[in-house]
């Protein structure tokens, strides 16, 4: 395990890691309760070599961000990945990120479900007096419901290296045309699922400015139609369009020609997805397709499709359309190279 940034290079070997783990375990058994553990001493011993830190769904002291985050930001100068998903945090706890100097060098930040995070706090974290540019590549803000496009627009110029962004279920993102994607031309992965107010014009703007985008998730974006999705190109490798119910039959029929390099495709609860699509896709198959999720098919048309897609490894068949155990076993026997999920 190693850490490298512009200032230091630190290496810790496996025996050192084992030694630190044993020291930590002994300290737990030596003390009558975890509250007696000297957390500052522990993090000071491993801090310079700590690269990834995850605290997920921790609600009981002392294993909470309220206790550990203030220590973490003081003792871990080389952290590259910080995951604080689904924790209950108060504003004073989250504010420690505003003074954490290493956040400039983080590659990944996950604040999923952080209800206290609003535009003001987001701006305070990323806008510094010296106007420094952050190294951040992956930002996960899923279910941060108090954010608006204004906050994201404001911080976007400070994150020129962003390649992955998750804004799923950020229900505060509405009634404003986002400008942040003009600064995020390097985006490769984007999750906008459950943004019910996302419009075709919003998506067109994203596609026009994010020239490296190749993975797009827009599940439940009910306003999206062919008007924007017709601009998808052969650079796309992953599409998730679950319950995008306003897509035309013509768009679906020709998706294999419009996006021939798809690796992952999810298309559940789509009105105009029919057996004809499976047949048409089989005439010019996706040679790289590894994962597919659909819920409208008949067995014979599905088998035609599967015979033409030899690289498929995972197939999720939803809606109980293949309900007979015999039919399921027959598919698994004929296509033993595919992992089937029947739901």
């Amino acid at each position: 395990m190693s850490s490298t940034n512009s200032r230091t290079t630190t290496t810790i070997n496996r025996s050192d890691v084992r030694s630190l783990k044993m020291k930590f375990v002994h300290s737990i058994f030596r003390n009558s309760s975890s509250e007696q553990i000297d957390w500052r001493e522990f993090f000071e011993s491993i801090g310079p070599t700590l690269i990834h830190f995850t605290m997920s769904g921790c609600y009981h002291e002392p294993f909470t961000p309220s206790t550990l985050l203030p220590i973490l930001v003081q003792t871990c100068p080389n952290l590259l990945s910080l995951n604080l998903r689904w924790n209950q945090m108060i504003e004073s706890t989250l504010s420690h990120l505003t003074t954490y100097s290493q956040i400039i060098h983080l590659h990944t930040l996950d604040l999923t479900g952080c209800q206290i995070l609003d535009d003001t706090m987001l701006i305070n974290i990323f806008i510094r007096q010296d106007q420094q540019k952050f190294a951040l590549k992956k930002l996960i803000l899923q279910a941060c419901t108090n954010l608006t496009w204004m906050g994201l627009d404001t911080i976007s110029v400070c994150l020129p290296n962003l390649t992955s962004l998750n804004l799923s279920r950020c229900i505060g993102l509405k009634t404003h045309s986002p400008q942040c994607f003009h600064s995020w031309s390097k985006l490769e992965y984007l999750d906008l699922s459950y943004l019910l107010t996302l419009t075709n014009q919003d998506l067109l703007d994203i596609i026009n400015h994010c020239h490296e985008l190749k993975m797009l998730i827009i599940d439940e974006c009910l306003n999206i139609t062919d008007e924007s999705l017709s601009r998808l190109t052969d650079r796309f490798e992953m599409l998730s369009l679950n319950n995008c119910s306003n897509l035309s039959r013509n768009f679906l029929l020709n998706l294999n020609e419009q996006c021939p390099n798809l690796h992952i495709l999810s298309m559940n609860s789509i009105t105009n997805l029919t057996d004809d699509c499976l047949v048409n896709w089989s005439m010019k198959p996706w040679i790289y397709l590894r994962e597919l999720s659909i819920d409208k098919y008949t067995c014979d048309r599905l088998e035609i499709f599967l015979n033409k897609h030899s690289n498929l490894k995972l197939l999720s068949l939803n809606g109980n359309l293949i309900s007979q155990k015999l039919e399921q076993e027959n598919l698994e026997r004929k296509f033993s190279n595919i992992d089937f999920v029947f739901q």
Side-chain angles (χ1 to χ4, degrees):
M1 180 165 59
S2 64
S3 172
T4 303
N5 60 30
S6 59
R7 295 169 298 175
T8 61
T9 301
T10 305
T11 303
I12 182 170
N13 58 42
R14 291 185 178 182
S15 62
D16 291 334
V17 172
R18 286 194 295 269
S19 176
L20 285 169
K21 286 181 177 178
M22 290 303 299
K23 178 181 178 182
F24 181 44
V25 170
H26 289 325
S27 71
I28 292 177
F29 284 103
R30 187 170 60 249
N31 292 283
S32 59
S33 70
S34 60
E35 284 85 352
Q36 297 178 18
I37 297 173
D38 190 333
W39 289 106
R40 179 169 293 279
E41 180 183 357
F42 173 71
F43 276 102
E44 285 177 347
S45 67
I46 68 169
T49 58
L50 190 63
I51 300 174
H52 307 289
F53 181 81
T54 295
M55 175 171 281
S56 177
C58 298
Y59 304 117
H60 303 288
E61 295 293 349
F63 301 106
T64 69
S66 296
T67 296
L68 298 186
L69 187 57
I71 300 173
L72 188 80
V73 300
Q74 294 175 20
T75 58
C76 302
N78 298 311
L79 206 63
L80 294 180
S81 175
L82 178 59
N83 182 338
L84 299 173
R85 62 188 293 116
W86 298 117
N87 294 293
Q88 292 180 348
M89 288 190 284
I90 60 177
E91 184 175 347
S92 59
T93 298
L94 193 61
S95 66
H96 286 287
L97 295 182
T98 66
T99 57
Y100 183 33
S101 58
Q102 178 58 18
I103 199 171
I104 295 290
H105 305 288
L106 280 185
H107 288 178
T108 301
L109 178 62
D110 188 344
L111 296 174
T112 293
C114 184
Q115 300 301 305
I116 197 64
L117 184 65
D118 58 12
D119 289 348
T120 300
M121 181 59 68
L122 187 71
I123 291 169
N124 288 340
I125 291 173
F126 287 106
I127 302 296
R128 305 298 173 94
Q129 289 183 346
D130 50 10
Q131 297 183 335
Q132 280 187 287
K133 304 296 184 184
F134 286 66
L136 199 66
K137 295 182 178 180
K138 185 175 183 179
L139 180 60
I140 305 173
L141 299 174
Q142 179 184 1
C144 292
T145 56
N146 289 310
L147 293 178
T148 74
W149 287 120
M150 184 189 73
L152 292 169
D153 290 347
T154 303
I155 68 167
S156 61
V157 293
C158 298
L159 305 175
N161 300 304
L162 204 62
T163 61
S164 178
L165 178 63
N166 188 333
L167 298 175
S168 173
R169 300 180 188 272
C170 291
I171 60 176
L173 301 177
K174 55 187 177 181
T175 63
H176 176 74
S177 296
Q179 302 298 308
C180 50
F181 298 101
H182 296 196
S183 300
W184 290 334
S185 61
K186 296 180 181 180
L187 267 185
E188 298 178 5
Y189 174 98
L190 180 60
D191 188 343
L192 299 174
S193 54
Y194 295 90
L195 298 192
L196 302 183
T197 59
L198 189 75
T199 67
N200 279 316
Q201 188 54 53
D202 295 334
L203 188 55
L204 280 170
D205 201 42
I206 292 169
I207 294 172
N208 288 336
H209 286 90
C210 301
H211 304 298
E212 302 298 321
L213 189 63
K214 54 187 176 183
M215 291 170 277
L216 178 64
I217 303 175
I218 53 171
D219 299 343
E220 305 286 339
C221 293
L222 303 180
N223 294 324
I224 298 303
T225 70
D226 303 359
E227 180 184 346
S228 56
L229 291 180
S230 62
R231 297 294 298 274
L232 299 178
T233 68
D234 58 2
R235 75 168 182 263
F236 280 85
E237 297 177 1
M238 184 188 84
L239 283 178
S240 188
L241 307 174
N242 297 320
N243 205 29
C244 289
S245 54
N246 291 313
L247 302 181
S248 74
R249 181 173 178 272
N250 186 61
F251 167 80
L252 297 170
L253 280 171
N254 296 292
L255 183 59
N256 56 331
E257 296 192 35
Q258 184 180 340
C259 300
N261 296 314
L262 288 179
H263 293 59
I264 300 173
L265 177 62
S266 187
M267 304 187 75
N268 296 301
S269 301
I270 295 181
T271 305
N272 288 318
L273 182 62
T274 63
D275 280 348
D276 291 341
C277 294
L278 288 175
V279 173
N280 205 55
W281 295 345
S282 301
M283 296 176 67
K284 193 173 182 180
W286 284 294
I287 60 175
Y288 303 112
L289 192 66
R290 299 192 314 268
E291 299 179 18
L292 175 66
S293 180
I294 55 174
D295 62 359
K296 293 185 178 180
Y297 48 83
T298 56
C299 279
D300 58 337
R301 303 297 176 88
L302 182 61
E303 289 191 20
I304 293 173
F305 175 88
L306 295 180
N307 280 320
K308 295 292 185 176
H309 290 82
S310 58
N311 289 318
L312 194 67
K313 301 301 180 185
L314 177 63
L315 178 59
S316 178
L317 298 173
N318 303 297
N320 296 316
L321 291 182
I322 298 183
S323 56
Q324 298 298 319
K325 188 68 175 176
L326 184 61
E327 291 178 343
Q328 295 178 5
E329 292 175 348
N330 186 47
L331 278 175
E332 290 174 326
R333 183 178 65 257
K334 285 185 176 180
F335 303 97
S336 58
N337 59 311
I338 299 175
D339 289 328
F340 287 89
V341 177
F342 300 102
Q343 300 186 57

